[in-house]
């Protein structure tokens, strides 16, 4: 027996090369069209909730095909303290066991094709470092599209949903324990955030509820732009009002004219940046700082605005990318370090 694992498009190329169509994604697998030396195994995981996070159960399901016929199937569950991710891995394991048993009784089968539609289970199972649920894995597995009318995948999903209904002893998995701890920590963080009154320069920007995943204005903005955006939100920036409070020897006048430089002036009034201020007006015509600094759309627009202007730089000009450090850059870095 040879175990062959193929990824969506690679499978198609392989079958086309052999001039044999293995799967028709729009219809059940046609009997007699599958090569005699190939067995297909599909696995899936499922979760059921009754509107209560504490009353959720998970299950796995598998189905195998040979010569277009369904030749084996199975289902099961792990109770209320496991995740769908665990079910995907368990399904792959149980599916391989069932496929091996079938192959051992059919000498004509030389290949087993394994399919799972959970990319996390597929890609993380064989990372160099141990991952949650990895002990469930015994073979390499690749992805196939879910909910795309692939006959085998839909049947495995049916079995998985049936597996959810099977009573079983609860098994607390590492994946479930990590999710529970992480959700609990986030809930405590949110409660602390809600009851802590906003103070300081960041108060007006402190409107977005805490979460673990970085928001788009963080992940999509260049590092230098994100740095200025954060400085703008906290008022710890190249600003006259910052200098007046912390570095009184520095000039607190704006580079556009002899006027006290504030965060509001730079964003709403400074003529040096008027050309690109329409980016901000698309979000709020009044350029309300609370909206620009404390909402998702406002921060995304402000990041675009900063990328096109020199707002909140030392000179008020766009910083040019230089190949080698210069004295001015070193001075800026030294001042930023003092913050």
């Amino acid at each position: 027996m040879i175990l062959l694992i193929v990824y969506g498009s690679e499978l198609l190329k392989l079958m086309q090369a052999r001039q044999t169509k293995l799967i028709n994604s729009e219809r059940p697998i046609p009997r007699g069209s599958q090569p005699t030396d190939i067995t297909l195994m599909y696995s899936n995981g499922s979760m059921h909730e009754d509107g209560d996070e504490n009353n959720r159960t998970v299950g796995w399901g598998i189905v195998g095909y040979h010569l277009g016929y369904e030749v084996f199937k199975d289902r099961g569950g792990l109770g209320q303290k496991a995740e769908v991710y665990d079910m995907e891995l368990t399904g792959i394991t149980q599916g391989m066991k069932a496929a091996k048993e079938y192959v051992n009784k059919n000498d004509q089968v030389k290949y087993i094709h394994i399919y799972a539609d959970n990319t996390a289970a597929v890609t993380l199972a064989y990372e160099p470092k141990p991952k949650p649920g990895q002990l469930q894995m015994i073979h390499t597995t690749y992805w196939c599209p879910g909910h795309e009318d692939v006959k085998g995948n839909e049947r495995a999903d049916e079995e998985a949903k049936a597996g959810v209904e099977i009573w079983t002893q609860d098994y607390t998995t590492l994946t479930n324990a990590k999710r529970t701890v992480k959700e609990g920590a986030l809930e405590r963080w949110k409660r602390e955030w809600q009851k802590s009154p906003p103070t300081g320069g960041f108060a007006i920007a402190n409107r977005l509820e805490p979460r673990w995943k970085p928001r788009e204005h963080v992940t999509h903005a260049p590092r230098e732009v994100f740095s200025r955006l954060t400085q703008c939100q906290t008022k710890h920036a190249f600003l006259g009002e910052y200098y007046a409070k912390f570095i009184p020897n520095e000039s607190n006048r704006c580079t556009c004219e002899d006027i006290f430089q504030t965060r509001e002036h730079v964003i709403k009034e400074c003529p040096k940046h008027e050309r690109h201020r329409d980016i901000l007006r698309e979000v709020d015509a009044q350029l309300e700082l609370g909206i620009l600094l404390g909402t998702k759309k406002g921060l995304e627009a402000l990041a675009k605005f900063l990328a096109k202007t020199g707002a909140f730089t030392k000179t008020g000009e766009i910083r040019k990318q230089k190949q080698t450090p210069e004295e001015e850059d070193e001075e800026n870095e030294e001042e930023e370090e003092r913050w």
Side-chain angles (χ1 to χ4, degrees):
M1 179 190 71
I2 299 175
L3 176 63
L4 178 64
I5 320 296
V6 277
Y7 181 90
S9 60
E10 296 298 322
L11 169 65
L12 223 44
K13 294 177 182 178
L14 175 66
M15 291 299 100
Q16 288 173 349
R18 298 182 61 172
Q19 297 183 341
T20 305
K21 188 171 183 180
L22 185 61
I23 301 175
N24 185 318
S25 63
E26 298 178 353
R27 300 189 300 276
I29 299 174
R31 296 174 181 174
S33 67
Q34 183 181 333
T36 60
D37 59 350
I38 294 178
T39 292
L40 312 181
M41 191 282 288
Y42 292 85
S43 77
N44 215 326
S46 183
M47 179 177 70
H48 177 70
E49 289 183 347
D50 288 331
D52 183 1
E53 174 66 19
N54 297 319
N55 191 25
R56 52 190 293 278
T57 52
V58 292
W60 56 268
I62 62 168
V63 62
Y65 292 94
H66 186 217
L67 298 176
Y69 292 88
E70 185 175 307
V71 293
F72 62 82
K73 65 180 180 179
D74 200 1
R75 66 185 72 157
L78 286 183
Q80 297 183 334
K81 296 183 178 180
E83 304 295 316
V84 175
Y85 174 71
D86 299 305
M87 295 299 92
E88 296 283 354
L89 296 176
T90 303
I92 293 170
T93 302
Q94 298 301 322
M96 277 307 307
K97 290 179 180 179
K100 282 185 175 181
E101 290 179 3
Y102 179 79
V103 168
N104 289 337
K105 299 175 183 178
N106 294 270
D107 295 337
Q108 60 181 322
V109 178
K110 305 298 181 183
Y111 303 93
I112 301 175
H113 290 183
I114 311 169
Y115 298 93
D117 63 5
N118 186 293
T119 54
V122 169
T123 57
L124 296 182
Y126 279 93
E127 288 287 325
K129 294 182 180 180
K131 298 290 182 179
Q134 194 168 6
L135 293 179
Q136 303 286 351
M137 295 294 298
I138 58 174
H139 287 286
T140 306
T141 308
Y142 289 82
W143 172 87
C144 79
H147 307 292
E148 293 291 337
D149 294 327
V150 176
K151 175 63 177 179
N153 182 262
E154 295 300 320
R155 278 288 296 115
D157 186 54
E158 292 173 4
E159 293 297 325
K161 289 177 179 177
V164 168
E165 305 299 329
I166 299 176
W167 182 91
T168 182
Q169 177 182 350
D170 287 339
Y171 293 89
T172 301
T173 64
L174 179 58
T175 311
N176 176 263
K178 290 181 68 175
R179 180 186 65 82
T180 302
V181 170
K182 193 172 181 180
E183 287 181 353
L186 182 58
E187 285 303 315
R188 291 191 294 274
W189 184 11
K190 288 180 179 179
R191 288 196 297 269
E192 288 296 322
W193 175 77
Q194 289 171 352
K195 69 181 183 181
S196 300
T199 59
F202 186 62
I204 196 171
N206 192 16
R207 299 185 177 190
L208 293 174
E209 190 175 62
R211 71 177 192 179
W212 294 122
K213 186 178 180 181
R215 290 182 166 82
E216 288 74 8
H217 72 275
V218 176
T219 57
H220 294 172
R223 180 177 177 181
E224 189 274 334
V225 171
F226 173 65
S227 176
R228 280 191 284 144
L229 181 60
T230 303
Q231 292 164 9
C232 170
Q233 284 185 290
T234 60
K235 270 193 183 180
H236 282 240
F238 291 112
L239 275 175
E241 57 184 328
Y242 174 83
Y243 293 143
K245 186 174 182 179
F246 296 104
I247 314 177
N249 294 331
E250 283 280 350
S251 171
N252 58 27
R253 318 314 286 177
C254 184
T255 56
C256 70
E257 55 185 274
D258 189 22
I259 185 174
F260 183 64
Q261 187 186 49
T262 65
R263 176 171 60 184
E264 185 172 10
H265 168 75
V266 174
I267 293 177
K268 301 176 69 172
E269 302 166 358
C270 183
K272 297 183 70 170
H273 315 308
E274 180 59 34
R275 177 183 175 188
H276 300 290
R277 204 159 271 130
D278 284 342
I279 296 174
L280 305 179
R281 293 193 180 98
E282 289 179 1
V283 175
D284 184 67
Q286 304 303 318
L287 301 180
E288 170 61 41
L289 292 188
I291 295 176
L292 297 178
L293 296 172
T295 66
K296 178 179 180 293
K297 289 185 177 180
L299 287 168
E300 290 174 356
L302 189 55
K304 294 178 182 178
F305 172 75
L306 295 180
K308 293 182 176 293
T309 69
F312 304 106
T313 62
K314 177 71 172 178
T315 63
E317 304 294 337
I318 297 178
R319 287 176 176 169
K320 295 181 180 179
Q321 299 296 325
K322 299 174 182 136
Q323 298 298 323
T324 57
E326 293 186 3
E327 184 176 351
E328 182 182 348
D329 299 324
E330 294 173 358
E331 290 176 355
N332 285 342
E333 290 176 0
E334 290 174 2
E335 185 164 357
E336 288 174 352
E337 288 175 1
R338 289 203 301 271
W339 294 353

